[in-house]
Amino acid sequence: MALRCWRWWHRPAWARMRPPPAGRPLSRNGELPGLGFCRLFSTQKLTPQICVVGSGPAGFYTAQHLLKHHPQAHVDIYEKQLVPFGLVRFGVAPDHPEVKNVIHTFTQTARSDRCAFRGHVVVGRDVSVPELREAYHAVVLSYGAEDHQALRIPGEELSGVFSARAFVGWYNGLPENQELAPDLSCDTAVILGQGNVALDVARILLTPPEHLEKTDITEAALGVLRQSQVKTVWIVGRRGPLQVAFTIKELREMIQLPGTRSVLDPADFLGIQDRIKEVPRPRRRLTELLLRTATEKPGLVGAACQPLTSRTWGLRFFRSPQQVLPSPDGQRAAGIRLAVTRLEGVGEATQAVTTGDTEDLPCGLVLSSIGYKSRPIDPSVPFDPILGVIPNVEGRVVDMPGLYCSGWVKRGPTGVIATTMNDSFLTGQSLLQDLQAGRLPSGPRPGYAAIEALLSSRGVRPVSFSDWEKLDAEEVSRGQGAGKPREKLVDPQEMLRLLAPGT
């Protein structure tokens, strides 16, 4: 893995020491080959106290790697929500239950007698990062990307304009998004961005509600979708078909969505047939599917079914948002002005530049899906506001020995769960290398015992994994009556009441 470093940060002396070779695999018993890692710490009887901040995929995969490859390590996982699993619970589309199966693996990790879940604890507010660093041998920041990229265009503040992140959180039961109350009484929605999240949102807007009734979508969201008047969804991107960020799996789902038809402009694909021969196979297959969808006419069966399709979705290429157009009273979104673009450059350097022409697209709902963004967690932790990441070298936070990061806050909001798994394993390996090389404190640390006293003095009651399992059982029970896998609890106060003694 290539080094990730920022020139304006000076690498400390500990980082300039020669660590074991980067990427060197750990053996099955947890040792770096030839270094006697486990034997060293078994002899010293040291119990490394490690803290992971964030219980999404990055946090759990980091904890899993540490527990597997160090037989004495103890890991505490802190989470600001009352419930674990982060983006797996709150980000994965409800009609993709197979992606959530990873929760079973995370549950096994959490049930380890060397792992503890500490929910309902906000690091940076209830406890500071310096306090965690004082209590633990090492701290790993894995808190993900909790914000979204702003459009920074006039009209962004109008009613009817939302981030796709908030919209996803709304239908997936994220407590902070339950007051979103999207008005779906309009005919047309515009989604800005052409990644998987954009297609997820488009699919949820256009899927017949009866097809969602047996998923874990919240009942409140399902009720709003049942009343939805949205018939057309445009998915808009600044660049062209060769630059879309969604995957072929997501595209196929859109093409095959019952009761819908796709609208793609064949003119957007002129000259692409020759160019796709030069691109990598996954991109070539994706572009070929787009090209076929844009140019092939429906067969007899498809033509016969066309009158039955009441909903439409389309991809608009070479368009950049310039302004959300207001309704006559100036309160709501009534459309969006798009600048027409053209491409300059080649390969990864391709950029969209405006041509001077514009196009107005009427709509009553605008969803911005141009990217997630991490926030700084604590004043003591370096943060790059431009890239939205914590500056690091292979997961080691620069200039802060014993502090690490993994997942989106380490590399930016890209990739799928498997990408995060590999990334988190590499951070875990960096930590274990530093522990074995003596770069972390050698004496005992109090770990949670010290933090528990601090939280108690501040009136904070953490939620344990057994507490979560009680909430989990309640959700499953509530879902059974409706034939759903669960009915998610969305009110933190209700969750706390269910966890109160005697309930």
Side-chain angles (χ1 to χ4, degrees), residues 57-58 61-62 64-65 102 106 407 411 416-427:
Y61 279 128
T62 302
Q64 176 186 323
H65 188 86
V102 71
F106 296 163
R411 71 179 190 277
V416 295
I417 290 178
T419 317
T420 295
M421 177 185 70
N422 294 326
D423 167 270
S424 301
F425 287 174
L426 288 171
T427 290

Side-chain angles (χ1 to χ4, degrees), residues 379-463:
S380 68
V381 179
F383 188 81
D384 182 340
I386 305 300
L387 297 177
V389 297
I390 296 173
N392 69 93
V393 178
E394 295 184 330
R396 299 174 175 93
V397 177
V398 297
D399 288 337
M400 302 195 78
L403 188 62
Y404 302 83
C405 56
S406 66
W408 283 3
V409 78
K410 169 186 174 183
R411 71 179 190 277
T414 59
V416 295
I417 290 178
T419 317
T420 295
M421 177 185 70
N422 294 326
D423 167 270
S424 301
F425 287 174
L426 288 171
T427 290
Q429 185 169 319
S430 292
L431 190 159
L432 292 175
Q433 288 172 347
D434 291 346
L435 185 63
Q436 184 261 337
R439 299 190 191 99
L440 301 182
S442 57
R445 288 289 173 105
Y448 183 63
I451 302 304
E452 182 179 29
L454 286 175
L455 295 176
S456 178
S457 71
R458 295 164 186 172
V460 179
R461 178 199 178 275
V463 170

Side-chain angles (χ1 to χ4, degrees), residues 199 203 206 235 246-264 285-294 296 306 309 311 313 315:
L199 264 60
R203 194 177 67 254
L206 296 177
I235 306 162
F246 51 73
T247 60
I248 193 169
K249 175 181 179 294
E250 299 280 347
L251 176 61
R252 284 199 189 104
E253 285 185 300
M254 285 301 301
I255 294 171
Q256 298 167 3
L257 194 60
T260 67
R261 65 184 180 90
S262 59
V263 178
L264 282 76
R285 292 176 61 237
L286 172 61
T287 310
E288 287 171 346
L289 179 56
L290 282 170
L291 182 60
R292 287 197 303 272
T293 306
E296 287 183 357
Q306 284 297 319
T309 60
R311 300 185 178 191
W313 66 273
L315 294 168

Side-chain angles (χ1 to χ4, degrees), residues 122-305:
V122 181
V123 174
R125 185 193 71 186
D126 299 332
V127 61
S128 69
V129 171
E131 287 169 335
L132 292 175
R133 295 182 71 203
E134 185 69 24
Y136 291 89
H137 291 94
V139 174
V140 186
L141 302 175
S142 307
Y143 60 88
E146 302 174 292
D147 210 344
H148 68 278
Q149 298 284 357
L151 288 171
R152 303 187 188 283
I153 60 174
E156 187 174 7
E157 75 289 345
L158 291 171
S159 177
V161 181
F162 304 100
S163 72
R165 183 193 184 283
F167 191 78
V168 169
W170 168 70
Y171 65 65
N172 271 335
L174 183 60
E176 65 197 56
N177 295 136
Q178 292 315 292
E179 301 301 321
L180 199 70
D183 182 354
L184 305 185
S185 62
C186 59
D187 175 81
T188 302
V190 169
I191 302 173
L192 303 172
Q194 293 182 335
N196 278 346
V197 173
L199 264 60
D200 275 348
V201 170
R203 194 177 67 254
I204 295 298
L205 282 171
L206 296 177
T207 294
E210 60 270 20
H211 290 204
L212 296 172
E213 289 174 348
K214 303 305 180 185
T215 73
D216 66 358
I217 191 170
T218 66
E219 189 57 40
L222 191 56
V224 173
L225 290 168
R226 286 193 182 104
Q227 302 300 317
S228 173
Q229 299 299 308
V230 175
K231 304 299 182 191
T232 302
V233 176
W234 292 109
I235 306 162
V236 178
R238 290 183 174 91
R239 299 190 290 174
L242 279 172
Q243 288 79 36
V244 296
F246 51 73
T247 60
I248 193 169
K249 175 181 179 294
E250 299 280 347
L251 176 61
R252 284 199 189 104
E253 285 185 300
M254 285 301 301
I255 294 171
Q256 298 167 3
L257 194 60
T260 67
R261 65 184 180 90
S262 59
V263 178
L264 282 76
D265 186 351
D268 290 334
F269 294 83
L270 294 176
I272 278 187
Q273 186 70 56
D274 295 328
R275 296 172 60 193
I276 59 178
K277 299 174 183 178
E278 305 167 3
V279 301
R281 185 171 182 269
R283 171 68 66 178
R284 183 170 69 251
R285 292 176 61 237
L286 172 61
T287 310
E288 287 171 346
L289 179 56
L290 282 170
L291 182 60
R292 287 197 303 272
T293 306
T295 57
E296 287 183 357
K297 294 182 179 180
L300 292 177
V301 175
C305 291

